[in-house]
Amino acid sequence: MGRKLKNALIGLGVTVAVLAAVAATLYFFGGMETPPPEIRAAYQQLRAAGQAPAVTPARFHIPIPGCRCHSTDPVLTMQHAGRTIAQCSSCHSRG
């Protein structure tokens, strides 16, 4: 096997391994962006009126640009704010 081909295959292998590591990291630690201010304000109003449960603080996650909760319910959106991509299948697998 030629030296150039061997180096190219090693480079390809390293690239695939790095991409797999990034994908796994985002799957287990990636989550939605911070909810928009209007959703957070609506949730705070519901909390102040006693109509919404307390939401536990979001655990560590990496915000992924463009990843948002598609619900218009402020409580559900705030609850989903701490979810990771690995946990999104509970809503997105419902056909």
Side-chain angles (χ1 to χ4, degrees), residues 3-44:
R3 182 176 170 94
K4 286 184 180 182
L5 179 59
K6 184 177 179 182
N7 287 342
L9 290 175
I10 290 172
L12 180 63
V14 168
T15 302
V16 169
V18 168
L19 288 175
V22 168
T25 300
L26 289 177
Y27 183 75
F28 290 109
F29 296 106
M32 66 182 255
E33 297 177 330
T34 303
E38 55 273 5
I39 292 288
R40 288 181 285 159
Y43 171 74
Q44 290 302 328

Side-chain angles (χ1 to χ4, degrees), residues 20-73:
V22 168
T25 300
L26 289 177
Y27 183 75
F28 290 109
F29 296 106
M32 66 182 255
E33 297 177 330
T34 303
E38 55 273 5
I39 292 288
R40 288 181 285 159
Y43 171 74
Q44 290 302 328
Q45 288 175 346
L46 290 171
R47 275 293 290 147
Q51 299 175 342
V55 173
T56 56
R59 64 185 189 149
F60 171 76
H61 76 280
I62 301 166
I64 298 174
C67 181
R68 295 179 181 88
C69 182
H70 303 286
S71 175
T72 56
D73 178 9

